Amino acid sequence: MSAKKIAIIGGGNLGSAIAQGLLKSGFSKAGDITVTKRNTSTLKELREAGVRIETDNDIAIREAEIIVVALKPYNVREVLQEFRGSFDPAKHILISVVTGVSIDDLEHVVPGMPVVRAMPNTAIAIQESITCIAHKHATEEQIRYIKTMFDQLGATVSIDEKLMDAATVLGACGIAYALRYIRANIQGGIEIGFDVRTASLIAAQTVKGAAELLIRENRHPEEEIDKVTTPKGCTIAGLNEMEHQGFSSSLIKGITASYNKIVKD
Ligand SMILES: NC(=O)C1=CN([C@@H]2O[C@H](COP(=O)(O)OP(=O)(O)OC[C@H]3O[C@@H](n4cnc5c(N)ncnc54)[C@H](O)[C@@H]3O)[C@@H](O)[C@H]2O)C=CC1
Ligand SMILES: O=C(O)[C@@H]1CCC=N1
């Protein structure tokens, strides 16, 4: 599969993370990646790594083959509308990572361009994203290319577009939920005697180990929990207290609150 030139329109948190992942994975050479932003001062590290930094979206789009749109939901239509003339359906593949804006909406703004929606998370910077992909009119060949690209940046799963908002919550917002869980563990760890660095390492590596048990061994969480909960032991005492305080319930309510925020906005 020959390497294609990639333009990332909107070099903010996610756009920059995608560029970092592309570089780290070796999927793209630095010179084949262009990142656009109006104020480019925050993109110093990418520039130093050889990534092309542009303020002109027209140039970036025309010179690339893959266009990743990483703009905010409130200005994506306006910006794409402005640059609709820069797109060439015979040359370009358009990928939107924008939350809550449908394929139909975007294809309406840029007529003739099939749009693929992708929902990665910020761990894409270190090739550890889960990226959900949905499409309607893209060709098999285009989808194969996009999947190969995101496979280099973590794991990918193809979903129906109607699940894209749910994917945003579980996968993209999920990074923040998981980090807050780890932070709470660090706070607890300090209270029971660890310094912050040691508590952070133990908490983060423990979460990584738990996740790997599910991913690598394909286990169900409760099967693994059963192995830890010694009868009359400290694990079940702690777990039950967490549940009395609404642990699982608070997470489920948080997930549905995030979801409702997307679908009601
Ligand atoms: N941050 C995250 O973890 C995730 C974000 N998303 C979605 O990705 C999109 C981007 O999110 P973030 O990176 O967090 O937002 P952000 O605000 O950090 O990035 C957007 C960037 O677009 C730039 N921009 C605005 N107008 C522009 C223009 N005309 N041309 C070029 N650049 C322009 C802004 O300066 C900003 O740097 C949003 O739609 C968000 O919902 C999706 C998954 C995860
Ligand atoms: O909070 C947000 O709206 C975006 C979407 C997913 C992650 N960040």
Side-chain angles (χ1 to χ4, degrees):
M1 207 169 266
S2 64
K4 295 186 192 291
K5 292 191 171 177
I6 300 182
I8 299 170
I9 309 299
N13 291 309
L14 186 59
S16 301
I18 295 170
Q20 286 165 31
L22 287 168
L23 273 179
K24 210 163 258 164
S25 66
F27 184 81
S28 305
K29 292 198 292 271
D32 285 344
I33 307 171
T34 303
V35 179
T36 76
K37 198 166 176 270
R38 285 169 303 189
N39 168 6
T40 60
S41 60
T42 57
L43 301 176
K44 195 166 152 270
E45 273 183 33
L46 287 174
R47 193 195 297 274
E48 283 169 3
V51 170
R52 293 179 52 196
I53 306 299
E54 263 290 347
T55 51
D56 188 331
N57 289 322
D58 176 59
I59 292 177
I61 295 167
R62 285 185 194 281
E63 291 185 357
E65 292 150 291
I66 308 281
I67 317 295
V68 179
V69 179
L71 295 161
K72 289 286 199 204
Y74 61 75
N75 76 342
V76 63
R77 291 176 191 81
E78 182 193 317
V79 176
L80 285 183
Q81 174 84 27
E82 188 184 344
F83 296 100
R84 68 200 298 183
S86 316
F87 286 95
D88 175 358
K91 174 182 173 190
H92 290 133
I93 304 177
L94 179 53
I95 304 171
S96 166
V97 297
V98 179
T99 299
V101 184
S102 70
I103 290 173
D104 282 349
D105 256 18
L106 295 171
E107 289 185 349
H108 183 72
V109 177
V110 193
M113 278 299 304
V115 173
V116 176
R117 281 183 74 187
M119 192 47 64
N121 62 38
T122 48
I124 201 163
I126 54 160
Q127 297 171 264
E128 288 291 351
S129 178
I130 174 74
T131 302
C132 295
I133 299 173
H135 68 99
K136 278 187 165 175
H137 306 115
T139 64
E140 295 261 312
E141 197 190 336
Q142 290 173 328
I143 294 300
R144 211 174 311 123
Y145 192 90
I146 290 168
K147 199 171 168 328
T148 304
M149 182 177 95
F150 284 112
D151 279 346
Q152 300 291 312
L153 306 175
T156 55
V157 55
S158 290
I159 60 168
D160 195 291
E161 197 195 3
K162 66 176 186 292
L163 282 172
M164 218 17 140
D165 295 334
T168 304
V169 173
L170 214 55
C173 308
I175 285 277
Y177 311 146
L179 289 170
R180 190 55 71 79
Y181 169 80
I182 292 173
R183 195 187 78 166
N185 271 272
I186 296 167
Q187 289 171 312
I190 294 168
E191 190 157 341
I192 59 175
F194 284 109
D195 65 86
V196 65
R197 284 173 65 89
T198 312
S200 301
L201 176 63
I202 294 173
Q205 177 63 36
T206 300
V207 169
K208 187 178 171 195
E212 291 291 353
L213 282 171
L214 305 189
I215 293 167
R216 276 199 246 162
E217 306 293 325
N218 202 21
R219 300 272 164 70
H220 186 280
E222 216 52 41
E223 189 188 343
E224 290 301 316
I225 289 171
D226 284 346
K227 294 180 190 167
V228 188
T229 46
T230 306
K232 287 189 104 175
C234 57
T235 312
I236 195 65
L239 269 182
N240 284 346
E241 180 60 22
M242 288 175 196
E243 291 302 342
H244 293 317
Q245 298 293 336
F247 180 65
S248 295
S249 174
S250 79
L251 290 175
I252 295 162
K253 283 187 170 178
I255 286 169
T256 52
S258 287
Y259 182 75
N260 288 333
K261 175 75 182 149
I262 300 178
V263 295
K264 286 179 183 157
D265 264 4

